[in-house]
Amino acid sequence: MSRAFNFSAGPAMLPEAVMRKADSEFLDWNQTGMSVMEMSHRSKEYMAVATKMEADLRDIMAIPDNYKVLFIHGGASMQFGAIPLNLCEQGDTVDYFNTGVWSTKAIKEAARFANVNVVAGGQEANPTEIPTQSEWSFSEDAKYIHICSNETITGLEFQEDQLEAIFAQGKPVIADMSSNIMCREIDVSKYAMIYAGAQKNIGPSGLAVVIVRDDLLGSAREACPTLLNWETYANNESMFNTPATFAWYLAGLVFEWIKEIGGVKAIAEINQRKAQKLYDFIDASDFYSNKIKDSERSWMNVTFDLKNSELDTAFLEASKAAGLLSLKGHRAFGGMRASIYNAMPEAGIDALIEFMQQFADQHG
Ligand code: PMP
């Protein structure tokens, strides 16, 4: 059996070493005679898995002690509504950046529960740059500021100086890091709450990781459903009801893998090199192009167009035949997208570049 290089935006490729380990202990985990997915979440054995997983994530991301780490079913989208329900009352003002489709979805949901001020953006569905700071308009009484730190569809990522300017507002900053969590080192203490759907850099879909500062807990509004209230998860080790046990276990294997290869610092170096290589190739080519502002290009989602879009179908068919999967861009943005999360080996980038070169040579 051979594994292809899968460039899917999510669910995405997981590290081969992780998949092999899960495979090897699928039927009999740790000589218990059962699969980890058949085990009570309250058993001593499973609790050990859960405890280690959280400890490893805390270690990898250097999460300070005054932050809770919650594992919540429902993916990242469920947090779009949970955020205002936990942090403000109906009629309160909240600040949102609109840098693309995922921001727009978060805004739409938040607007049901709060008065959303769009700090900047939103004029176009798929902007190719972050609005310049002179256009930002914060509201004085906002309860928090929300960003999508990496827009997965376009591959547009907030940069350090922009983030610093946002932190400087002195408000709780909430970040949707679904598509760039653990791709580089970050200072968690600058954020009030970070959330991410698991299916890109963490593990199987359906699970969200929520990292939230202690003092934000306990103020959910009265009407907030129990299972949307972060405090419920914080007070019950994310086991108020039955958690997504297999997804947790697999995420735990991914965290172990990250530690083994040197942590997020080591991964970040590889990620930067992978992304740079691909962008350099695209920029040097007159057959392919990328629309995103140079300095705001994502390390995780590399979008590109063929100069002649009539060749798109042929490109997708040939790339698939070459074992390079899921390169079709999101229908909202068109073109191609190579999602190159932590688990994508550098060899996958080399193979993609080689294929793109050959395709250009044949059709240019
Ligand atoms: N935010 C971002 C940035 C995403 O890329 C995605 C999924 N592609 C989501 C939120 C939604 O995640 P989920 O499907 O887990 O709800």
Side-chain angles (χ1 to χ4, degrees):
M1 186 210 65
S2 72
R3 270 174 70 79
F5 292 118
N6 174 8
F7 294 90
S8 168
M13 181 166 191
L14 288 167
E16 183 167 336
V18 165
M19 300 299 269
R20 289 200 185 281
K21 176 138 205 284
D23 183 32
S24 74
E25 55 194 25
F26 187 65
L27 289 177
D28 178 12
W29 181 83
N30 225 6
Q31 277 119 47
T32 54
M34 55 182 146
S35 168
V36 78
M37 89 168 83
E38 299 168 309
M39 200 173 277
S40 163
H41 57 295
R42 310 228 181 256
S43 65
K44 182 166 78 3
E45 289 85 356
Y46 191 80
M47 286 304 283
V49 172
T51 306
K52 180 165 189 307
M53 169 189 67
E54 181 183 335
D56 282 347
L57 179 61
R58 285 186 170 276
D59 187 21
I60 292 169
M61 291 186 67
I63 300 173
D65 289 345
N66 63 324
Y67 283 71
K68 290 275 190 275
V69 178
L70 316 175
F71 299 95
I72 304 185
H73 7 265
S77 305
M78 207 172 76
Q79 296 306 314
F80 293 165
I83 292 162
L85 287 171
N86 276 272
L87 297 181
C88 68
E89 296 296 329
Q90 201 81 31
D92 282 346
T93 299
V94 293
D95 276 353
Y96 277 67
F97 278 83
N98 190 340
T99 52
V101 166
W102 290 108
S103 298
T104 305
K105 291 194 189 212
I107 289 169
K108 198 168 168 220
E109 189 68 359
R112 306 178 59 210
F113 305 112
N115 169 31
V116 175
N117 167 55
V118 176
V119 176
Q123 290 83 0
E124 24 173 355
N126 287 298
T128 53
E129 58 186 279
I130 308 279
T132 50
Q133 292 188 30
S134 58
E135 294 167 30
W136 297 3
S137 131
F138 295 98
S139 46
E140 239 159 58
D141 53 349
K143 295 286 178 192
Y144 61 83
I145 302 170
H146 180 280
I147 60 167
C148 174
S149 58
N150 183 69
E151 286 284 353
T152 318
I153 290 177
T154 47
L156 177 67
E157 192 166 15
F158 271 92
Q159 301 301 304
E160 207 50 50
D161 58 324
Q162 295 159 333
L163 295 171
E164 286 303 330
I166 296 169
F167 299 138
Q169 297 300 312
K171 293 275 170 63
V173 175
I174 313 280
D176 175 357
M177 292 195 190
S178 292
S179 47
N180 66 350
I181 193 165
M182 298 187 300
C183 84
R184 73 180 82 218
E185 291 179 297
I186 59 154
D187 182 351
V188 172
S189 72
K190 298 214 163 136
Y191 297 85
M193 184 261 190
I194 292 168
Y195 65 109
Q199 62 273 25
K200 299 149 198 308
N201 264 343
I202 298 171
S205 59
L207 171 70
V209 168
V210 168
I211 302 166
V212 56
R213 211 174 54 216
D214 276 353
D215 61 284
L216 269 69
L217 297 169
S219 38
R221 64 181 78 170
E222 192 57 36
C224 180
T226 308
L227 282 170
L228 289 181
N229 188 335
W230 298 327
E231 209 183 9
T232 305
Y233 296 84
N235 290 344
N236 294 282
E237 293 170 315
S238 301
M239 289 193 186
F240 177 80
N241 68 335
T242 317
T245 53
F246 194 75
W248 287 26
Y249 151 79
L250 213 85
L253 295 185
V254 171
F255 301 153
E256 276 175 17
W257 172 79
I258 292 177
K259 287 181 84 166
E260 270 160 30
I261 57 177
V264 173
K265 190 169 196 284
I267 293 246
E269 277 171 31
I270 303 169
N271 284 337
Q272 185 172 23
R273 202 164 59 229
K274 280 167 19 188
Q276 196 61 50
K277 237 190 224 185
L278 189 48
Y279 286 122
D280 285 349
F281 170 77
I282 292 167
D283 288 344
S285 147
D286 53 14
F287 192 85
Y288 304 101
S289 63
N290 166 285
K291 292 202 267 284
I292 306 301
K293 183 175 172 184
D294 282 15
S295 59
E296 294 166 359
R297 289 166 163 184
S298 166
W299 283 7
M300 297 283 99
N301 310 98
V302 177
T303 49
F304 60 93
D305 293 307
L306 275 63
K307 292 259 159 84
N308 176 2
S309 62
E310 284 172 13
L311 291 171
D312 281 4
T313 306
F315 179 90
L316 288 167
E317 278 169 9
S319 54
K320 188 172 176 198
L324 306 167
L325 309 183
S326 310
L327 285 163
K328 191 173 182 355
H330 192 281
R331 61 194 180 282
F333 196 52
M336 305 297 154
R337 171 176 55 178
S339 293
I340 52 173
Y341 300 117
N342 289 350
M344 173 60 66
E346 206 161 344
I349 309 298
D350 295 337
L352 176 60
I353 291 174
E354 196 186 328
F355 168 81
M356 287 169 72
Q357 183 63 60
Q358 276 170 9
F359 190 85
D361 290 346
Q362 280 160 14
H363 297 89

